[in-house]
Amino acid sequence: MQKESKIRDPLILGNKTYHDITRDIARPVEGKANKYWWILFSLAAVLMLWGFACMAYTIGTGIGAWGLNRTVNWAWDITNFVWWIGIGHAGTLISAVLLLFRQKWRMAINRSAEAMTIFGVAQAALFPLIHMGRPWLAYWVFPIPNQFGSLWVNFNSPLLWDVFAISTYFSVSCVFWYIGLIPDFAMLRDRIDKKLSPMKKNLYGLMAFGWSGKAKHWQRFEEVCLVLAGLATPLVFSVHSIVSMDFATSIIPGWHTTIFPPYFVLGALFSGFAMVETLLIIMRKVVNMEAYITIKHIEYMNVIILFTGSLVGVAYITELFMAWYSGVEFEQYAFLNRATGPYWWAYASMMTCNVVIPQLYWIYKIRTSFVATFILSIFVNIGMWFERFVIIVTSLHRDFLPSSWTMFSPTFIDIGIFVGTIGFFFVLFLLYARAFPVIAQAEIKSILKSSGSEYKK
Amino acid sequence: MRDKIIHAIFDDEQDVLTVVKDLKDSNIVVNEVYSPFPIHGLDPILGLKETRMAITAFIYGCIGLSFGGLLIYYIMISGVGKSWPMNIGGKPNSTFYHNLPSFVPIIFECTVLFAAHLMSITYLIRNNLYPGSKTTSPDPRTTDDKFLVEILYNEDKNNVVRLLEKSNVTEINEKDES
């Protein structure tokens, strides 16, 4: 049996038994949705449908429906893409990296964080798809034998690296998630009364793949999870490094920097943890998981946000320093323009939300408060969106030819699609919270006796 | 032939460890243990060999690495690359090693893709997990909070029951045939 120091804060509160854990985690699935769920779901569904309408309009009329122009030929689409991909990264960090580090607090939050990853990456993938203009030709990005003559993909291009990285990341995340879900679906299958809800029982039976919990199966389960974590860890770092290379391998001042891969990975973890907090602080209330997602979990995540936020701050300053130190006037101007040009407000928002505000987490009272954490996490989400906007638009809008200098303003279609993906994301997450075991109950049970408050007395 | 089965049910994983050890020491066959979560330390007592899942992942990873390398070699250098040579950014595509740095990301992704997916498929096949597969657990409570030890015996029933009764067993269920 695992032993844990008594002075460590408990991770499971209340006098819980194994059966209590089963009951608590099955409750949202077995019960009916409350009023708040329906309100949130309707709101998200409306936004999603609005987003779909805007996407349909874009595909029908062309990319001209967006606010892009010849100077700023990449704007909200890629900003949203990078933002969503970044949000996904915290899920993999929690489920994979923290597993390798044997962090027990990950067990209460990894399931939802991974769900967030998958739903976030799905939103991200929408943007390149609709930016193609003709999404039915999306299969052209894959290296498949074809009749187009020389129309083969170019393996030197970071955009193709992106195709491979994102699709690998998405599918491996799904597999990792599902492997962990199988024993929990089995728990639901065995709990649901066949007479009361035969459909539900059959459905969970189908999804549980006939899991029976034999000793040999658990042994393989643990090894597979460990190896998947080992594979997902370099994968997650590679994905955002490759996303950053979409920019870093170009020759645009402001993009052409070697600091981009680590800087993007850190920013991704930073924004991802903020989104995990935003979601979990609401979820723990809505589905009554207060005993499992405690203030200690929130505090641990806040410490990571403080750490990564400070490193992102260092990266911002390093960029400015390198621009000055390089002696390249284009590079120097790009950064001067970023901070003091017409987009100074975006830069200032980014600096405030990402570097200054997270420093409040040094204060114990703030990092151990649900309300403060929720507010701060929203700031970080906004700040990280601005970071991508700043990097992309401020580097483009004043290019090498001053006669083509211009500004970018989004159309209602741009805004509609972005808002639509937020709606779509919440629709998926809300459905997940009703139909899936939101906490990895098998894992939580395995730490009950070392980290439960009742066993710490 | 041992053809009779006893299902002993426990509330705590520590009791399972103790009882399985005692049964094994008395040369009684413990056929299977069903539990709601992995019990650490059970595998050696039960005599389970180490799983080879990690080795399969390594092999699949090697296959992915070779596949990625060959795919790129065919498309960029030898096959398609010969028929339609591309000169991108002044970097001719006549040799593999000159272009290798920009091929690394995709070769890496192929390695991870193959290792993760094929290992997971192997895991599902080895555990007989697929949609429509039926659970073999004798008691549905084993996914909730009970631990079930399946014991095979023939004539030595009293011995088994005596050992079980010494432990913290909560239920002893007998079955006649396996």
Side-chain angles (χ1 to χ4, degrees), chain A residues 59-117:
Chain A
I59 293 163
T61 56
I63 308 298
W66 294 356
L68 301 177
N69 50 54
R70 274 168 64 180
T71 312
V72 186
N73 44 29
W74 251 12
W76 274 41
D77 50 339
I78 190 89
T79 303
N80 300 336
F81 165 77
V82 181
W83 188 69
W84 277 119
I85 287 281
I87 281 171
H89 278 48
T92 318
L93 187 96
I94 290 168
S95 59
V97 182
L98 296 184
L99 188 147
L100 298 182
F101 282 117
R102 301 277 178 216
Q103 293 296 305
K104 289 179 187 165
W105 60 275
R106 61 173 260 288
M107 291 175 180
I109 56 175
N110 64 349
R111 175 69 42 75
S112 300
E114 276 177 66
M116 180 194 78
T117 296

Side-chain angles (χ1 to χ4, degrees), chain A residues 28 31-38 434:
Chain A
K32 285 222 174 346
N34 59 23
K35 197 171 66 187
Y36 301 105
W37 188 89
W38 281 111
R434 290 270 301 115

Side-chain angles (χ1 to χ4, degrees), chain A residues 19 22 156 220 445 449, chain B residues 12-13 102 109 127 143-144:
Chain A
H19 184 65
T22 306
N156 290 310
R220 291 192 186 121
K445 283 174 186 168
K449 290 192 175 159
Chain B
D12 193 294
E13 70 272 24
S102 62
E109 300 300 337
N127 282 1
T143 54
D144 178 5

Side-chain angles (χ1 to χ4, degrees), chain A residues 113-183:
Chain A
E114 276 177 66
M116 180 194 78
T117 296
I118 291 165
F119 304 150
V121 174
Q123 305 313 318
L126 279 173
F127 286 97
L129 198 69
I130 48 179
H131 199 172
M132 286 173 186
R134 282 175 278 178
W136 51 93
L137 298 180
Y139 66 95
W140 284 17
V141 303
F142 293 106
I144 41 175
N146 60 61
Q147 301 284 311
F148 314 135
S150 62
L151 250 177
W152 279 84
V153 288
N154 174 15
F155 284 84
N156 290 310
S157 164
L159 295 178
L160 187 70
W161 304 349
D162 234 2
V163 170
F164 274 81
I166 305 290
S167 43
T168 304
Y169 183 49
F170 182 74
S171 64
V172 171
S173 297
C174 288
V175 166
F176 197 4
W177 196 47
Y178 204 85
I179 294 281
L181 272 166
I182 289 174

Side-chain angles (χ1 to χ4, degrees), chain A residues 1 18-19 22 155-156 161 171 175 190 209-210 212-213 215-216 218-220 222-223 235 238 442 445 449, chain B residues 12-14 32-37 40 43 49 54 76 80 88 102 109 117 120 127 129 133 136 143-144:
Chain A
M1 195 177 125
Y18 291 142
H19 184 65
T22 306
F155 284 84
N156 290 310
W161 304 349
S171 64
V175 166
D190 292 343
F209 284 14
S212 45
K216 186 71 191 176
W218 278 121
Q219 185 200 35
R220 291 192 186 121
E222 290 207 293
E223 177 113 336
L235 178 65
S238 83
K445 283 174 186 168
K449 290 192 175 159
Chain B
D12 193 294
E13 70 272 24
Q14 283 304 310
E32 191 58 78
V33 175
Y34 296 91
S35 63
F37 56 84
H40 290 158
D43 302 353
K49 280 192 214 148
M76 296 301 288
V80 183
I88 297 142
S102 62
E109 300 300 337
H117 287 277
S120 302
N127 282 1
L129 297 172
S133 171
T136 53
T143 54
D144 178 5

Side-chain angles (χ1 to χ4, degrees), chain B residues 57-87:
Chain B
F58 179 77
I59 295 167
Y60 296 140
C62 292
I63 295 171
L65 186 105
S66 321
F67 175 81
L70 286 171
L71 182 81
I72 295 175
Y73 182 70
Y74 172 72
I75 293 175
M76 296 301 288
I77 313 290
S78 76
V80 183
K82 272 271 182 300
S83 316
W84 289 281
M86 287 189 273
N87 185 332

Side-chain angles (χ1 to χ4, degrees), chain A residues 213, chain B residues 5-21 23-24 28-35 39 42 46 137-139 142 146-152 160 164 167 169 171-174:
Chain B
I5 296 175
I6 285 183
H7 288 154
I9 292 180
F10 297 85
D11 281 345
D12 193 294
E13 70 272 24
Q14 283 304 310
D15 299 334
V16 175
L17 285 175
T18 323
V19 85
V20 172
K21 197 165 182 338
L23 290 166
K24 282 273 176 185
I28 293 164
V29 179
V30 178
N31 191 34
E32 191 58 78
V33 175
Y34 296 91
S35 63
I39 305 173
L42 181 68
L46 212 53
S137 174
D139 195 313
T142 55
K146 301 287 182 217
F147 302 81
L148 189 146
V149 180
E150 190 174 275
I151 302 153
L152 297 189
V160 175
L164 285 175
S167 68
V169 69
E171 278 175 47
I172 301 175
N173 303 326
E174 288 177 43

